[in-house]
Amino acid sequence: MAAPVRQASEKTRRAIVEAGLRGFGSKGYAATSTREIAALAETNVASIAYHFGGKEGLRTACAEHVVATLGAVLAADAPEEEATDPALARARLTGLAERMVHFLLLRPEAHAIAGFMIREMAQPSPALDAIYDGLIARLHPRLCRLWAAATGREAESAGVKLAVFGMIGQIVYFHLGRPVVTRRMGWSGIAAPEARAIAAMIAATLRARLDADRGDADRGDPA
Amino acid sequence: MAAPVRQASEKTRRAIVEAGLRGFGSKGYAATSTREIAALAETNVASIAYHFGGKEGLRTACAEHVVATLGAVLAADAPEEEATDPALARARLTGLAERMVHFLLLRPEAHAIAGFMIREMAQPSPALDAIYDGLIARLHPRLCRLWAAATGREAESAGVKLAVFGMIGQIVYFHLGRPVVTRRMGWSGIAAPEARAIAAMIAATLRARLDADRGDADRGDPA
DNA sequence: AGTTTTCAATCAAACGATTGATTACATAAC
DNA sequence: GTTATGTAATCAATCGTTTGATTGAAAACT
């Protein structure tokens, strides 16, 4: 909580957080020992208790790190002004989706981040609050507003909110289900070409859904 | 492997598997102790080693149980003859999706099953092989054939396979992201009405996507 | 039929290993 | 010299597993 701005111990902090995130994200919280984290961070086990108060403190620190990192990634290409033109909103939405796919599937650091978030959702802890407040609570309404602008539906309606979750769910699944997807597709892994194919499929689904919503919005049949 | 057909120890086996599945599915493999499982199954810790060779053996036994249970659920409403009529295939597909949503979100035993599968994907183990071979390898191609019949595209094309995964991903996500979804939606949980809303949204997405695919299939633009 | 043997099944108890946390002490920075 | 930071050693607790004893019922034997 209290940031030790004093010294260059920041390097150790970062190393521990990154090591913890990598462990928690790939193997899970319980399955990752503090000694393993310390070894990966090239420091002593006691440093974890010193810097974060304990393993649980490191967990929330990792959550904050995830929020900061992912927030920066998503804010980088976020023009402050909201898109009101349907075509523009639609382009923004598809672009954001595509960017999320590529980040989630190609960036090496994304594996730990996504794994961490997924595991936090599966077994909620105080760390999930930080992720929700710092990330979901900001990103999801923004996507809903874009969806609304692209279709004419109301941004905070249940249908739009669920549709946005559905879009996110598709993206997340291709990270989560990677071993299953690659096996079924006959891929040896997910590199740039595979990520492009997945992004194209998600974009196509998104376009189809937006088109359908635009038609339904007039007839008052928002599913 | 060798089934002890002799005695009524089958009851103990089942109790241990169900207890293990519940623990592994909700808290994760590493976070669930053998003592905890034994207590939940109302038996002794040694029974786990006796019946399954160890904790890891119980893991694969749980995977086999998941395959058997889920296989039965999905096979129950699977008319052997494949649907060739587009409208019928479409109805089958949406019906299957709806059934999956309701099973995953409402059935109490589904929580452990889904949690187990998700965690296995996140950290593949030999248990994942059993799940893939016994479940995915059967279900996914069937969905692809339905998709193909509904749209005119080729069942084993990359686009169709990915689209089916996308549909599954949406469904799975609403189970996985339950704490996040409920919070954002202002729900206190996911009961029948909420599951219906989610199922409606997924059905709408599916319909929109199938429509778009049917149009694209002629023009040879399968994304 | 009565007796003995065999064996799957379960149990309490204990094993060594590992866990997260804590301590006491050394080192570096200011 | 005071504080901040890092380390080695150690703590109690818990982990998965193993052990030896016990049970009850089927199998084998007389």
Side-chain angles (χ1 to χ4, degrees):
Chain A
M1 239 137 284
V5 282
R6 282 259 173 204
Q7 286 302 116
S9 73
E10 195 64 19
K11 205 188 296 183
T12 309
R13 271 189 72 101
R14 280 197 87 84
I16 294 176
V17 167
E18 282 169 10
L21 192 60
R22 195 141 28 159
F24 296 160
S26 63
K27 306 177 32 179
Y29 177 78
T32 308
S33 71
T34 52
R35 284 170 177 80
E36 196 178 337
I37 296 171
L40 194 61
E42 289 178 332
T43 181
N44 193 274
V45 243
S47 304
I48 295 174
Y50 177 77
H51 283 284
F52 306 99
K55 195 187 183 185
E56 196 64 39
L58 175 59
R59 185 185 209 163
T60 71
C62 286
E64 290 163 4
H65 182 257
V66 164
V67 169
T69 304
L70 225 48
V73 169
L74 292 169
D77 59 336
E80 260 320 299
E81 25 84 35
E82 295 268 341
T84 52
D85 177 56
L88 183 58
R90 185 193 175 98
R92 285 262 168 81
L93 214 44
T94 55
L96 259 168
E98 197 162 341
R99 202 168 289 253
M100 285 168 76
V101 172
H102 280 87
F103 175 80
L104 218 54
L105 295 181
L106 297 181
R107 287 286 196 86
E109 73 266 30
H111 189 261
I113 292 177
F116 182 83
M117 289 180 61
I118 286 172
R119 287 170 197 277
E120 283 298 322
M121 288 193 205
Q123 190 184 1
S125 82
L128 182 61
D129 296 340
I131 291 178
Y132 184 89
D133 296 336
L135 205 69
I136 317 276
R138 291 184 197 175
L139 176 63
H140 194 274
R142 211 179 85 193
L143 292 173
C144 286
R145 284 195 297 273
L146 281 176
W147 192 288
T151 60
R153 297 178 65 182
E154 195 192 339
E156 286 297 307
S157 68
V160 168
K161 286 195 284 188
L162 286 178
V164 168
F165 271 128
M167 185 191 79
I168 295 177
Q170 279 193 340
I171 298 175
V172 169
Y173 179 79
F174 279 98
H175 171 89
L176 172 69
R178 190 187 297 228
V180 168
V181 170
T182 52
R183 203 188 298 201
R184 169 75 174 117
M185 299 301 294
W187 294 342
S188 60
I190 294 186
E194 290 81 13
R196 233 176 291 128
I198 292 172
M201 176 260 136
I202 286 175
T205 302
L206 182 55
R207 279 195 303 269
R209 187 53 152 92
L210 290 175
D211 284 338
D213 262 23
R214 183 140 62 170
D216 287 346
D218 319 317
R219 307 200 310 270
D221 178 20
Chain B
M1 218 130 303
V5 282
R6 283 263 172 198
Q7 288 299 116
S9 73
E10 195 65 19
K11 205 188 295 183
T12 306
R13 272 188 73 101
R14 281 198 86 84
I16 293 176
V17 167
E18 283 170 8
L21 190 60
R22 195 141 28 158
F24 296 160
S26 63
K27 306 176 35 179
Y29 177 78
T32 307
S33 72
T34 52
R35 285 169 176 81
E36 196 178 337
I37 295 171
L40 195 60
E42 290 179 329
T43 182
N44 194 273
V45 244
S47 304
I48 296 174
Y50 177 78
H51 284 284
F52 308 99
K55 195 185 183 184
E56 198 65 35
L58 175 58
R59 185 185 209 163
T60 70
C62 286
E64 289 163 5
H65 182 257
V66 164
V67 169
T69 304
L70 226 48
V73 168
L74 292 170
D77 57 335
E80 261 321 300
E81 25 84 34
E82 295 266 338
T84 52
D85 177 55
L88 183 58
R90 185 194 177 98
R92 284 261 170 81
L93 213 45
T94 54
L96 259 169
E98 196 161 342
R99 203 168 287 254
M100 286 168 76
V101 171
H102 281 86
F103 175 79
L104 219 54
L105 295 181
L106 297 181
R107 287 284 196 88
E109 73 266 30
H111 189 260
I113 292 177
F116 183 84
M117 289 179 61
I118 286 172
R119 289 171 195 277
E120 282 299 322
M121 288 193 202
Q123 188 185 1
S125 81
L128 183 60
D129 296 339
I131 291 179
Y132 183 89
D133 296 336
L135 206 70
I136 318 277
R138 293 184 196 176
L139 176 62
H140 195 274
R142 211 179 83 190
L143 292 173
C144 287
R145 284 195 296 273
L146 282 176
W147 191 287
T151 61
R153 298 178 63 182
E154 196 192 338
E156 286 297 307
S157 68
V160 168
K161 286 194 283 187
L162 286 178
V164 168
F165 270 129
M167 186 191 79
I168 295 177
Q170 279 194 343
I171 299 175
V172 170
Y173 179 79
F174 280 97
H175 172 89
L176 171 70
R178 190 187 295 230
V180 168
V181 170
T182 53
R183 202 190 296 204
R184 170 73 174 118
M185 300 301 294
W187 293 343
S188 61
I190 293 186
E194 290 82 14
R196 234 177 290 129
I198 292 172
M201 176 260 134
I202 287 175
T205 303
L206 181 56
R207 280 196 301 268
R209 187 53 153 90
L210 290 176
D211 284 338
D213 261 24
R214 181 139 63 168
D216 287 348
D218 320 317
R219 306 200 312 271
D221 177 22

